[in-house]
C-alpha cells in the first residue's frame, strides 16, 4: 500500500491520501509521499490538481496514535513535515481543488483550506479538532480559516471544535459546492478539466496575486498586478485569447 496515490486524466492530476483505515490521518510516510506528489504536480503537463481521500474520509489530521507515548517537539514536526506541503500547494501555479469526500479534521481542514477550491460530498464533515485535544490550529488552519470565514466565525468555530456538516460549510462559504457523495469524483473531474482548459499561467498568477493581497498595501498590490499583467501579455494563451475573440471562435488554450 502507498500512503498517497496519484493518477492522471489528460492534464488533470489526482492526488489521493491513502490510509483509509484511519480516515487518512497523517503519518511520516504520508507527508513524504504527499511531498513527492506535489513535486510531480509542478510539471507543465499538469494543469489542474485534485486532492481527495481514499475510503470514507478526506483527512483527519495527525495520526493520534503517535501521541500515545510522548508527543515530542510538535513544532519541529510541523516545520519539517506539514509546512513544506502547505507551502507547496500555495506555490503550485495551477488550480488545486479539494474534493472533500468525508470527515476533514484538524490539519485535514487546514489542507482542504490551503487548496484554491473546495467541493464537498453531502456526507462530508469539517471538524477543527485541535481544541478538542487541547491544541491550537496549525498547518495554516488559523491563516486560511480566518480569511475564508472572517475573524468572528473562525474564532467561534475553532474554539468550539464543533463538527460542521457539508451543508453548513456551504452556507458559511467554506466550500463552494456540495454534491451527492456518489457524484463527487465525477464533479471534481469535471471542474478540474474545465479549469485545466483555461490559461494556466493566468490562473497561476491570479493565485499569486490573491495570496499577495492578504498582506500587501494597495501600492504594492497595484505594482504586482502591473508586473504580472506584463508577464501575462507574453503568454501564448493571451495571444490565443485575443485572436479567438476577434475571430469570433472558441479559444484553444495551451497553458503556455
Ligand atoms: O504531531 C504533529 O505533527 C502535530 C500536528 C497536529 C495536527 C493535527 O491535525 S491535531 C488534530 C488531530 N485530529 C483529530 O483530533 C481528529 C480525531 N478524529 C475525530 O475526531 C473523529 O475521528 C472524526 C470526527 C474526524 C470522525 O469521526 P467518525 O465517527 O466519522 O469516525 P471514527 O470512528 O472516529 O474514526 C474512524 C477510525 O479512524 C477509528 O479507528 P477504528 O476505531 O475504526 O479502529 C479512529 O480511531 C480512526 N481515527 C480517526 N481520527 C484519527 C484516527 N486514528 C488516528 N488518528 C486520528 N487523527
Amino acid at each position: 500500500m502507498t500512503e498517497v496515490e496519484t493518477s492522471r486524466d489528460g492534464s488533470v492530476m489526482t492526488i489521493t491520501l491513502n490510509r483509509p483505515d484511519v480516515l487518512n490521518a497523517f503519518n511520516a510516510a504520508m507527508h513524504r509521499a504527499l511531498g513527492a506528489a506535489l513535486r510531480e504536480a509542478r510539471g507543465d503537463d499538469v494543469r489542474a490538481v485534485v486532492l481527495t481521500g481514499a475510503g470514507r474520509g478526506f483527512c483527519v489530521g495527525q495520526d493520534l496514535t503517535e501521541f500515545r507515548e510522548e508527543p515530542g517537539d510538535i513544532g519541529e514536526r510541523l516545520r519539517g513535515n506539514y509546512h513544506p506541503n502547505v507551502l507547496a500547494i500555495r506555490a503550485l501555479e495551477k488550480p488545486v481543488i479539494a474534493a472533500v469526500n468525508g470527515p476533514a479534521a484538524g490539519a485535514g481542514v487546514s489542507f482542504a483550506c490551503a487548496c484554491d477550491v473546495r467541493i464537498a460530498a453531502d456526507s462530508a464533515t469539517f471538524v477543527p479538532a485541535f481544541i478538542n485535544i487541547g491544541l491550537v490550529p496549525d498547518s495554516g488552519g488559523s491563516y486560511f480559516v480566518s480569511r475564508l470565514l472572517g475573524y468572528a466565525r473562525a474564532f467561534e468555530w475553532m474554539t468550539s471544535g464543533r463538527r460542521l456538516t457539508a451543508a453548513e460549510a456551504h452556507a458559511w462559504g467554506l466550500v463552494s459546492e456540495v454534491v451527492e457523495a456518489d457524484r463527487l469524483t465525477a464533479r471534481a473531474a469535471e471542474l478540474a478539466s474545465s479549469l485545466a482548459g483555461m490559461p494556466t499561467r493566468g490562473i497561476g498568477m491570479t493565485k499569486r496575486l490573491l495570496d499577495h493581497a492578504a498582506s500587501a498595501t494597495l501600492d504594492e498590490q497595484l505594482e504586482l498586478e502591473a508586473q504580472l499583467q506584463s508577464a501575462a501579455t507574453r503568454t501564448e494563451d493571451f495571444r490565443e485569447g485575443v485572436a479567438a475573440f476577434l475571430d469570433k471562435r472558441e479559444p484553444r488554450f495551451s497553458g503556455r
Side-chain angles (χ1 to χ4, degrees), residues 48-52 95-99 115-119 188 191-193 195:
V49 177
V50 175
L51 178 66
T52 193
V96 183
I97 300 165
C115 296
D116 302 300
V117 182
R118 281 153 295 288
I119 60 174
L191 181 60
S193 164
L195 283 165

Side-chain angles (χ1 to χ4, degrees), residues 25-169:
F26 280 113
N27 65 2
M30 200 164 93
H31 288 296
R32 280 194 299 274
L34 178 58
L38 291 168
R39 280 192 294 282
E40 184 188 330
R42 285 189 211 150
D44 287 342
D45 53 336
V46 176
R47 295 176 61 190
V49 177
V50 175
L51 178 66
T52 193
R56 76 169 183 87
F58 174 71
C59 174
V60 291
Q62 173 62 32
D63 188 322
L64 294 180
T65 59
E66 294 188 357
F67 281 170
R68 198 173 286 144
E69 304 297 325
E70 164 56 42
D73 185 348
I74 292 184
E76 280 309 304
R77 295 218 311 248
L78 287 169
R79 291 182 196 101
N81 295 334
Y82 286 82
H83 296 187
N85 289 337
V86 172
L87 293 171
I89 290 172
R90 294 313 312 150
L92 274 182
E93 294 176 356
K94 55 200 74 179
V96 183
I97 300 165
V100 184
N101 52 305
V109 170
S110 306
F111 271 78
C113 292
C115 296
D116 302 300
V117 182
R118 281 153 295 288
I119 60 174
D122 53 7
S123 53
T125 53
F126 297 81
V127 193
F130 304 100
I131 200 68
N132 299 339
I133 55 170
L135 293 184
V136 300
D138 64 26
S139 311
S142 56
Y143 181 96
F144 298 118
V145 172
S146 59
R147 279 165 176 75
L148 288 166
L149 300 184
Y151 178 89
R153 200 161 246 174
F155 179 85
E156 189 189 335
W157 185 43
M158 300 203 97
T159 55
S160 72
R162 185 163 82 79
R163 190 168 176 158
L164 278 195
T165 63
E168 286 174 307

